[in-house]
């Protein structure tokens, strides 16, 4: 098959949507399919490049940053080049911008099956103003993003229920396919230090990710429970300055190591060495970081919110109410360190990207066959 994947962000950058696009693309190439990713160019990178066998085409737009990613140049590019691209299946990724809506508007006229992965959560619902604006977006623009898709692919039961509720998408048009991981190694070889507690967070540093609660739990561990504890924070984002200030206020600077986003093998080495991985996010439509930590055998703590609660069925994953109480969080971390729970066996919700690609491949083939049927 010739597959065309569309992304409104930079596919080679960190982040869950980008990870899904590039991993699925690379796996499909390994299976003998031709894959092109058509995307915006927010990082001003080359207009074209080959990445793990996937052809990436970046369409520059000077106005997109000011128009919520609306990209007139992308629409023009598709009008001029769609026949030349000649995809068998188009898969659009992302919901929370105007570019997917723009692309779906074009694809309504294309005689080609379309799949849509919204990567949809409810993070904009948390204030009265945010909820109002989100509802306006949903019902004036958002709903139209779903109409051209023969199948809507969700990563979790949580995402599926929100899509059904907010966009009136029927059950028969939705397929739940969780995201993947690179390795599944649980139970792990023990790389931990017995003399102190090692905590880990990795991902974007945003307010909604809840890293501030990890810092408050770290303070409790050291001052209320007198536990030697180290925290590694891997990632970057707009909330880093606020987190750094909080760390100084709590006098935790010497107990925290800050790292930028790391290459995969370095990241996995840090994950394997942790006693506990934490994701105390307010909102996730899946939670790839949790899946990766569990797949490497590392006990994990998640906030009992949104799609994260679905990981609580996995042995070795523990939940805490949101917003987390620092004392309760510290006590849970100590219990995990003392009892050394085994992670796994894991359910099919945590699978390799190769297995995930197999699900996508079957779905694409079904869409292609259904579209090709006469009448």
């Amino acid at each position: 098959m010739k597959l065309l994947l569309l992304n409104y962000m930079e596919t080679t950058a960190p982040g869950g949507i980008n990870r899904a696009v590039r991993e699925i693309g690379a796996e499909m190439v390994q299976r003998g399919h031709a894959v092109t990713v058509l995307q915006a160019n927010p990082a001003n990178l080359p207009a074209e490049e080959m990445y793990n066998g996937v052809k990436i085409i970046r369409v520059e737009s000077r106005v997109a940053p000011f128009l919520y990613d609306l990209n007139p140049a992308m629409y023009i590019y598709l009008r001029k080049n769609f026949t030349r691209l000649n995809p068998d299946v188009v898969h659009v990724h992302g919901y929370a911008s105007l570019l997917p809506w723009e692309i779906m508007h074009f694809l309504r006229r294309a005689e080609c099956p379309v799949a849509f992965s919204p990567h949809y959560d409810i993070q904009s619902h948390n204030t009265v103003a945010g909820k109002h604006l989100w509802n306006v977006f949903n019902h004036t623009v958002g709903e139209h993003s779903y109409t051209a898709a023969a199948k809507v692919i969700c990563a979790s039961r949580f995402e599926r229920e929100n899509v059904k509720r907010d966009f009136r998408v029927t059950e028969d048009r939705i397929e739940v396919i969780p995201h993947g991981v690179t390795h599944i190694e649980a139970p792990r070889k023990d790389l931990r230090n017995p003399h102190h507690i090692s905590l880990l967070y990795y991902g974007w540093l945003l307010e909604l990710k809840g890293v501030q609660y990890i810092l408050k739990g770290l303070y409790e561990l050291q001052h209320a429970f007198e536990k030697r504890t180290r925290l590694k924070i891997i990632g970057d984002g707009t909330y880093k300055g606020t987190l750094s200030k909080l760390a100084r206020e709590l006098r935790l600077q010497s107990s925290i190591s800050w790292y930028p986003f790391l290459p995969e093998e370095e990241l996995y080495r840090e994950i394997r060495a942790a006693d506990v991985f934490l994701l105390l996010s307010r909102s996730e439509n899946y939670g790839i970081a949790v899946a990766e930590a569990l797949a490497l055998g590392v006990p994990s703590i998640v906030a009992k919110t949104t799609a994260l609660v679905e990981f609580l069925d996995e042995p070795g994953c523990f939940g805490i109410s949101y917003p987390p109480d620092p004392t309760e969080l510290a006590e849970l971390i100590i219990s995990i360190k003392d009892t050394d729970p085994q992670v796994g066996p894991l359910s099919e919700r945590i699978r390799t990207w190769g297995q995930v690609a197999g699900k996508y491949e079957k779905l694409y083939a079904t869409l292609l066959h259904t579209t090709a049927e006469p009448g």
Side-chain angles (χ1 to χ4, degrees), residues 168-181:
R168 298 190 291 273
V169 179
T170 56
E171 183 85 28
D172 61 299
R173 291 182 56 220
I174 300 176
E175 187 89 11
V176 176
I177 305 178
H179 296 312
V181 298

Side-chain angles (χ1 to χ4, degrees), residues 22-333:
R22 65 175 178 266
E23 294 285 356
I24 294 301
E27 290 289 344
M28 287 297 175
V29 169
Q30 290 293 319
R31 291 168 176 264
H33 306 292
V35 181
T36 299
V37 173
L38 182 61
Q39 62 158 74
N41 193 7
N44 296 314
L45 295 174
E48 293 189 11
E49 76 166 294
M50 296 298 297
Y51 188 90
N52 291 336
V54 176
K55 184 176 183 179
I56 297 178
I57 300 173
R58 300 181 177 96
V59 180
E60 191 81 37
S61 173
R62 295 181 179 180
V63 300
F66 309 101
L67 295 176
Y68 206 47
D69 297 320
L70 188 70
N71 189 337
M74 181 74 77
Y75 195 91
I76 295 170
Y77 182 92
L78 283 169
R79 287 185 60 184
K80 290 182 177 179
N81 296 285
F82 193 78
T83 301
R84 177 181 61 81
L85 293 169
N86 191 29
D88 295 308
V89 177
V90 178
H91 189 166
V92 180
H93 286 263
Y95 167 75
S97 86
L98 289 177
L99 182 57
W101 168 81
E102 178 185 5
I103 291 169
M104 287 298 195
H105 183 74
F106 172 86
L107 291 173
R108 286 176 186 161
R109 303 187 186 93
E111 295 182 2
C112 177
V114 177
F116 181 40
S117 290
H119 303 271
Y120 177 61
D121 64 34
I122 57 172
Q123 60 179 287
S124 296
H125 291 193
N126 293 283
T127 66
V128 173
K131 185 172 183 178
H132 175 72
L133 292 173
W134 191 245
N135 287 336
V136 170
F137 178 80
N138 284 352
H139 296 299
T140 58
V141 175
E143 284 187 0
H144 298 292
S145 299
Y146 291 82
T147 57
K151 277 290 183 180
V152 177
I153 303 172
C154 296
S156 62
R157 298 189 299 272
F158 166 78
E159 184 182 7
R160 176 188 63 195
E161 294 309 309
N162 278 278
V163 165
K164 286 168 59 179
R165 181 196 66 217
D166 292 347
F167 306 104
R168 298 190 291 273
V169 179
T170 56
E171 183 85 28
D172 61 299
R173 291 182 56 220
I174 300 176
E175 187 89 11
V176 176
I177 305 178
H179 296 312
V181 298
T182 302
H183 304 292
I184 297 180
E185 300 177 2
R188 64 172 170 176
K189 296 179 180 178
D190 198 345
L191 300 176
R192 294 164 294 171
N193 188 325
H195 303 298
H196 67 255
I197 301 174
S198 176
L199 306 179
L200 176 69
Y201 168 84
Y202 85 89
W204 287 106
L205 302 181
L206 307 171
E207 186 273 336
L208 71 90
K209 294 293 185 178
V211 182
Q212 62 272 28
Y213 301 116
I214 303 176
L215 297 185
K216 294 175 183 178
L218 174 61
Y219 179 87
E220 289 294 307
L221 283 164
Q222 293 190 342
H223 292 82
F225 295 95
E226 298 182 340
K227 296 291 184 179
R228 296 179 60 192
T229 311
R230 296 286 308 174
L231 169 63
K232 293 182 179 179
I233 299 176
I234 301 172
D236 204 351
T238 56
Y239 202 57
K240 185 175 182 178
T242 302
L243 293 172
S244 298
K245 180 181 178 182
L246 178 59
R248 291 192 299 272
E249 291 173 351
L250 298 176
R251 298 182 180 178
L252 296 172
Q253 301 98 309
S254 62
S255 301
I256 302 175
S257 299
W258 303 82
Y259 300 87
F261 285 107
L262 297 175
E264 187 174 89
E265 285 308 314
E266 291 183 41
L267 172 63
Y268 287 173
R269 187 161 55 246
E270 297 295 345
I271 296 174
R272 293 184 186 102
D275 290 305
V276 183
F277 170 79
L278 302 100
L279 181 56
L280 308 181
S281 179
R282 185 172 69 237
S283 182
E284 297 285 339
N285 91 307
Y286 178 69
I288 291 178
V290 183
E292 290 182 315
L294 293 172
L296 294 174
V298 178
S300 301
I301 298 175
V302 300
K304 294 179 181 178
T305 61
T306 58
L308 293 178
V309 299
E310 296 174 32
F311 285 108
L312 298 179
D313 295 332
E314 307 293 340
C317 189
F318 303 85
I320 189 166
S321 298
Y322 185 92
D325 177 80
T327 301
E328 291 181 11
L329 179 59
E331 290 173 341
L332 180 54
I333 291 169

